[in-house]
PDB file of all heavy atoms in Angstrom:
ATOM      1  N   THR A  69     108.763  91.721 121.402  1.00 91.00           N
ATOM      2  CA  THR A  69     109.152  91.837 122.807  1.00 91.00           C
ATOM      3  C   THR A  69     110.423  91.053 123.104  1.00 91.00           C
ATOM      4  O   THR A  69     110.871  90.235 122.315  1.00 91.00           O
ATOM      5  CB  THR A  69     108.020  91.315 123.709  1.00 91.00           C
ATOM      6  OG1 THR A  69     107.769  89.937 123.372  1.00 91.00           O
ATOM      7  CG2 THR A  69     106.759  92.119 123.516  1.00 91.00           C
ATOM      8  N   GLY A  70     111.009  91.320 124.271  1.00 91.00           N
ATOM      9  CA  GLY A  70     112.199  90.610 124.703  1.00 91.00           C
ATOM     10  C   GLY A  70     112.930  91.402 125.759  1.00 91.00           C
ATOM     11  O   GLY A  70     112.444  92.436 126.224  1.00 91.00           O
ATOM     12  N   GLN A  71     114.091  90.904 126.183  1.00 91.00           N
ATOM     13  CA  GLN A  71     114.929  91.695 127.077  1.00 91.00           C
ATOM     14  C   GLN A  71     115.224  93.038 126.435  1.00 91.00           C
ATOM     15  O   GLN A  71     115.298  94.068 127.099  1.00 91.00           O
ATOM     16  CB  GLN A  71     116.237  90.955 127.365  1.00 91.00           C
ATOM     17  CG  GLN A  71     116.081  89.754 128.264  1.00 91.00           C
ATOM     18  CD  GLN A  71     117.415  89.117 128.588  1.00 91.00           C
ATOM     19  OE1 GLN A  71     118.451  89.771 128.511  1.00 91.00           O
ATOM     20  NE2 GLN A  71     117.404  87.850 128.949  1.00 91.00           N
ATOM     21  N   GLY A 106     115.062  83.760 122.166  1.00 89.00           N
ATOM     22  CA  GLY A 106     113.810  83.778 122.911  1.00 89.00           C
ATOM     23  C   GLY A 106     113.001  85.056 122.766  1.00 89.00           C
ATOM     24  O   GLY A 106     111.918  85.170 123.341  1.00 89.00           O
ATOM     25  N   TRP A 151     115.006  90.567 121.210  1.00 90.00           N
ATOM     26  CA  TRP A 151     116.152  89.727 121.599  1.00 90.00           C
ATOM     27  C   TRP A 151     116.031  89.345 123.066  1.00 90.00           C
ATOM     28  O   TRP A 151     115.838  90.201 123.930  1.00 90.00           O
ATOM     29  CB  TRP A 151     117.468  90.469 121.387  1.00 90.00           C
ATOM     30  CG  TRP A 151     118.672  89.576 121.525  1.00 90.00           C
ATOM     31  CD1 TRP A 151     119.335  88.917 120.536  1.00 90.00           C
ATOM     32  CD2 TRP A 151     119.347  89.224 122.742  1.00 90.00           C
ATOM     33  NE1 TRP A 151     120.362  88.178 121.050  1.00 90.00           N
ATOM     34  CE2 TRP A 151     120.403  88.346 122.407  1.00 90.00           C
ATOM     35  CE3 TRP A 151     119.157  89.557 124.076  1.00 90.00           C
ATOM     36  CZ2 TRP A 151     121.259  87.796 123.355  1.00 90.00           C
ATOM     37  CZ3 TRP A 151     120.013  89.012 125.035  1.00 90.00           C
ATOM     38  CH2 TRP A 151     121.050  88.154 124.661  1.00 90.00           C
ATOM     39  N   GLY A 152     116.167  88.046 123.348  1.00 91.00           N
ATOM     40  CA  GLY A 152     116.196  87.550 124.726  1.00 91.00           C
ATOM     41  C   GLY A 152     114.815  87.365 125.317  1.00 91.00           C
ATOM     42  O   GLY A 152     113.864  88.064 124.963  1.00 91.00           O
ATOM     43  N   CYS A 153     114.692  86.394 126.234  1.00 87.00           N
ATOM     44  CA  CYS A 153     113.420  86.168 126.934  1.00 87.00           C
ATOM     45  C   CYS A 153     113.076  87.410 127.755  1.00 87.00           C
ATOM     46  O   CYS A 153     113.952  87.987 128.401  1.00 87.00           O
ATOM     47  CB  CYS A 153     113.519  84.954 127.842  1.00 87.00           C
ATOM     48  SG  CYS A 153     113.759  83.405 126.959  1.00 87.00           S
ATOM     49  N   PRO A 154     111.814  87.813 127.748  1.00 78.00           N
ATOM     50  CA  PRO A 154     111.446  89.066 128.440  1.00 78.00           C
ATOM     51  C   PRO A 154     111.430  88.958 129.953  1.00 78.00           C
ATOM     52  O   PRO A 154     111.209  89.944 130.634  1.00 78.00           O
ATOM     53  CB  PRO A 154     110.041  89.362 127.900  1.00 78.00           C
ATOM     54  CG  PRO A 154     109.503  88.034 127.478  1.00 78.00           C
ATOM     55  CD  PRO A 154     110.690  87.229 127.020  1.00 78.00           C
ATOM     56  N   ASP A 155     111.685  87.750 130.549  1.00 73.00           N
ATOM     57  CA  ASP A 155     111.590  87.575 131.995  1.00 73.00           C
ATOM     58  C   ASP A 155     112.504  88.509 132.770  1.00 73.00           C
ATOM     59  O   ASP A 155     112.138  89.057 133.797  1.00 73.00           O
ATOM     60  CB  ASP A 155     111.929  86.119 132.375  1.00 73.00           C
ATOM     61  CG  ASP A 155     110.988  85.133 131.699  1.00 73.00           C
ATOM     62  OD1 ASP A 155     109.882  85.551 131.316  1.00 73.00           O
ATOM     63  OD2 ASP A 155     111.375  83.959 131.553  1.00 73.00           O
ATOM     64  N   ASN A 156     113.729  88.702 132.262  1.00 59.00           N
ATOM     65  CA  ASN A 156     114.711  89.534 132.968  1.00 59.00           C
ATOM     66  C   ASN A 156     114.853  90.908 132.346  1.00 59.00           C
ATOM     67  O   ASN A 156     115.899  91.531 132.434  1.00 59.00           O
ATOM     68  CB  ASN A 156     116.074  88.831 132.973  1.00 59.00           C
ATOM     69  CG  ASN A 156     116.013  87.486 133.654  1.00 59.00           C
ATOM     70  OD1 ASN A 156     115.321  87.334 134.652  1.00 59.00           O
ATOM     71  ND2 ASN A 156     116.725  86.510 133.104  1.00 59.00           N
ATOM     72  N   ALA A 157     113.794  91.381 131.701  1.00 51.00           N
ATOM     73  CA  ALA A 157     113.883  92.652 130.972  1.00 51.00           C
ATOM     74  C   ALA A 157     114.221  93.815 131.894  1.00 51.00           C
ATOM     75  O   ALA A 157     114.994  94.695 131.542  1.00 51.00           O
ATOM     76  CB  ALA A 157     112.568  92.921 130.240  1.00 51.00           C
ATOM     77  N   GLN A 158     113.664  93.820 133.126  1.00 53.00           N
ATOM     78  CA  GLN A 158     113.889  94.949 134.021  1.00 53.00           C
ATOM     79  C   GLN A 158     115.354  95.016 134.455  1.00 53.00           C
ATOM     80  O   GLN A 158     115.966  96.075 134.450  1.00 53.00           O
ATOM     81  CB  GLN A 158     112.972  94.836 135.250  1.00 53.00           C
ATOM     82  CG  GLN A 158     112.968  96.079 136.129  1.00 53.00           C
ATOM     83  CD  GLN A 158     112.474  97.314 135.391  1.00 53.00           C
ATOM     84  OE1 GLN A 158     111.566  97.233 134.571  1.00 53.00           O
ATOM     85  NE2 GLN A 158     113.081  98.453 135.668  1.00 53.00           N
ATOM     86  N   ASP A 159     115.934  93.844 134.800  1.00 47.00           N
ATOM     87  CA  ASP A 159     117.342  93.823 135.190  1.00 47.00           C
ATOM     88  C   ASP A 159     118.227  94.268 134.045  1.00 47.00           C
ATOM     89  O   ASP A 159     119.159  95.050 134.219  1.00 47.00           O
ATOM     90  CB  ASP A 159     117.755  92.413 135.631  1.00 47.00           C
ATOM     91  CG  ASP A 159     117.073  92.012 136.925  1.00 47.00           C
ATOM     92  OD1 ASP A 159     116.644  92.923 137.668  1.00 47.00           O
ATOM     93  OD2 ASP A 159     116.978  90.800 137.186  1.00 47.00           O
ATOM     94  N   ASN A 160     117.926  93.777 132.855  1.00 45.00           N
ATOM     95  CA  ASN A 160     118.742  94.109 131.696  1.00 45.00           C
ATOM     96  C   ASN A 160     118.625  95.584 131.347  1.00 45.00           C
ATOM     97  O   ASN A 160     119.591  96.230 130.957  1.00 45.00           O
ATOM     98  CB  ASN A 160     118.307  93.246 130.510  1.00 45.00           C
ATOM     99  CG  ASN A 160     119.450  92.956 129.563  1.00 45.00           C
ATOM    100  OD1 ASN A 160     120.596  92.837 129.990  1.00 45.00           O
ATOM    101  ND2 ASN A 160     119.144  92.876 128.298  1.00 45.00           N
ATOM    102  N   LYS A 181     126.397  88.268 132.057  1.00 49.00           N
ATOM    103  CA  LYS A 181     125.475  87.924 130.970  1.00 49.00           C
ATOM    104  C   LYS A 181     125.461  88.988 129.868  1.00 49.00           C
ATOM    105  O   LYS A 181     124.836  88.795 128.841  1.00 49.00           O
ATOM    106  CB  LYS A 181     124.065  87.724 131.508  1.00 49.00           C
ATOM    107  CG  LYS A 181     123.418  88.973 132.068  1.00 49.00           C
ATOM    108  CD  LYS A 181     122.021  88.655 132.572  1.00 49.00           C
ATOM    109  CE  LYS A 181     121.345  89.888 133.154  1.00 49.00           C
ATOM    110  NZ  LYS A 181     119.988  89.587 133.621  1.00 49.00           N
TER     111      LYS A 181
END
Side-chain angles (χ1 to χ4, degrees):
T69 59
Q71 288 184 23
W151 191 94
C153 295
D155 301 338
N156 300 322
Q158 189 61 37
D159 292 338
N160 210 33
K181 66 180 180 179

